[in-house]
Amino acid sequence: MPTFIAADGTPLAYHLRGEGEPLAVLPGGPMRASAYLGDLGGLTAHRRLALLDLRGTGDSAVPADPATYRCDRMVEDVEAWRAHMGLEHMDLLAHSAGAALAMLYAARRPHRVRRLVLITPNPSALGMRATPEDRLAAAALRTKEPWFEDAFPAFRGWLAGGADFDDVFLPFFYGRWDDTARAHTDAEPEQTNEEAGERYFADGAFTPDATRAALATLTAPVLVYAGELDGGPRPGLARRAAQAFPNAEFAVQPGAGHYPWLDDPESFLSRTRAFLDRSADSAPPSAD
């Protein structure tokens, strides 16, 4: 397990899996250890994944200052990681809340990004967030599921702020509620730093207007990838996020939730490989 030292002296770890050209990967959660990403639907057979454990998660050390868990404070961790790996520029993939960090990094260091893949991204860095209405609308697509009758009222109550989080509605986050999904969610509590997650989106983390202005000049190709059944973000919100990039394309995986590489690994692998294998100079389809 390789490690490097962040600018504030915090030792950070990352994990190398697979063979081929490097692909740097930022996890979501927020602040969940990178182990939950697995092999990203078999992408390790085609790329050498470098999966970062953000500070205070997985095998990375807890920082002396917990304020450094704020998303924007970790942009320099990503830059120190890139330099440590000896990459002049890099292909970068980020999932969920990790996409907010990736957007901030691309805005601050656009010349270091060769390709950017945002999987079911949280677009908070752009001043956009999934709403309770978004999540309920996505959940309403699942009425034929055997667990829906019990899960939906609990989910609605939680989103309204009148009820605690309940495992009964976890199936809404997956396109298929099977043994793989159950094992994946069972591992989450041990993999997540809840204190850090609460600080990740703290006030001051984002300056959307400045970020949008910076990203408007990003020349790197960008893929924004949504799940058809995901509520955070729904495909429409993900499409609007894609429009913040001048060289972006947008894709929706049918039947997928928030973790599309688990729901249909073959579809996920086919689409992401097609993007990553394309020349960075090629013009993609429009995000519109």
Side-chain angles (χ1 to χ4, degrees):
M1 176 192 64
T3 62
F4 65 101
I5 305 298
D8 67 347
T10 304
L12 302 180
Y14 62 104
H15 302 267
L16 297 173
R17 299 180 190 146
E19 303 294 335
E21 194 173 359
L23 175 62
V25 181
L26 298 177
M31 304 304 286
R32 184 172 178 180
S34 64
Y36 84 93
L37 294 162
D39 67 354
L40 282 174
L43 197 52
T44 48
H46 309 278
R47 284 296 187 109
R48 185 165 176 79
L49 304 186
L51 301 110
L52 181 63
D53 282 340
L54 301 179
R55 52 179 54 223
T57 71
D59 292 308
S60 289
V62 173
D65 181 4
T68 62
Y69 288 135
R70 202 174 74 175
C71 183
D72 62 314
R73 300 285 297 275
M74 288 188 281
V75 171
E76 294 311 308
D77 289 353
V78 179
E79 175 60 6
W81 181 41
R82 178 205 60 77
H84 163 80
M85 292 190 292
L87 300 174
E88 182 67 20
H89 49 228
M90 60 184 174
D91 291 345
L92 181 63
L93 181 149
H95 173 243
S96 188
L101 175 56
M103 290 181 201
L104 294 184
Y105 179 79
R108 197 178 299 181
R109 298 280 196 284
H111 59 293
R112 298 300 188 186
V113 178
R114 186 171 67 168
R115 299 180 186 86
L116 180 61
V117 183
L118 304 174
I119 306 298
T120 57
N122 182 312
S124 294
L126 303 174
M128 305 162 65
R129 292 293 297 270
T131 66
E133 292 75 20
D134 287 335
R135 295 183 183 277
L136 287 174
L141 300 174
R142 316 297 293 278
T143 55
K144 295 182 180 180
E145 299 283 2
W147 41 262
F148 179 86
E149 187 174 346
D150 292 330
F152 190 78
F155 194 44
R156 183 174 53 205
W158 175 66
L159 290 170
D164 293 334
F165 190 93
D166 193 327
D167 288 354
V168 73
F169 55 70
L170 286 171
F172 285 126
F173 295 93
Y174 297 85
R176 297 186 306 177
W177 187 239
D178 54 13
D179 289 344
T180 297
R182 291 184 184 91
H184 190 258
T185 197
D186 286 347
E188 182 174 5
E190 186 175 340
Q191 293 172 340
T192 302
N193 182 332
E194 292 187 2
E195 177 198 357
E198 291 174 356
R199 293 177 179 270
Y200 189 81
F201 293 117
D203 289 346
F206 304 117
T207 52
D209 289 345
T211 298
R212 285 177 173 273
L215 292 177
T217 68
L218 182 71
T219 59
V222 179
L223 171 63
V224 177
Y225 195 94
E228 178 189 19
L229 303 177
D230 190 17
R234 294 195 76 196
L237 180 59
R239 182 186 291 276
R240 292 196 296 277
Q243 292 169 352
F245 302 93
N247 193 12
E249 58 190 278
F250 172 70
V252 179
Q253 182 172 309
H258 197 59
Y259 308 94
W261 66 91
L262 295 178
D263 294 322
D264 186 346
E266 290 186 6
S267 292
F268 179 83
L269 180 61
S270 174
R271 188 64 185 82
T272 53
R273 276 196 68 200
F275 174 80
L276 289 167
D277 291 347
R278 185 187 307 133
S279 168
D281 296 326
S282 300
S286 168
D288 294 326

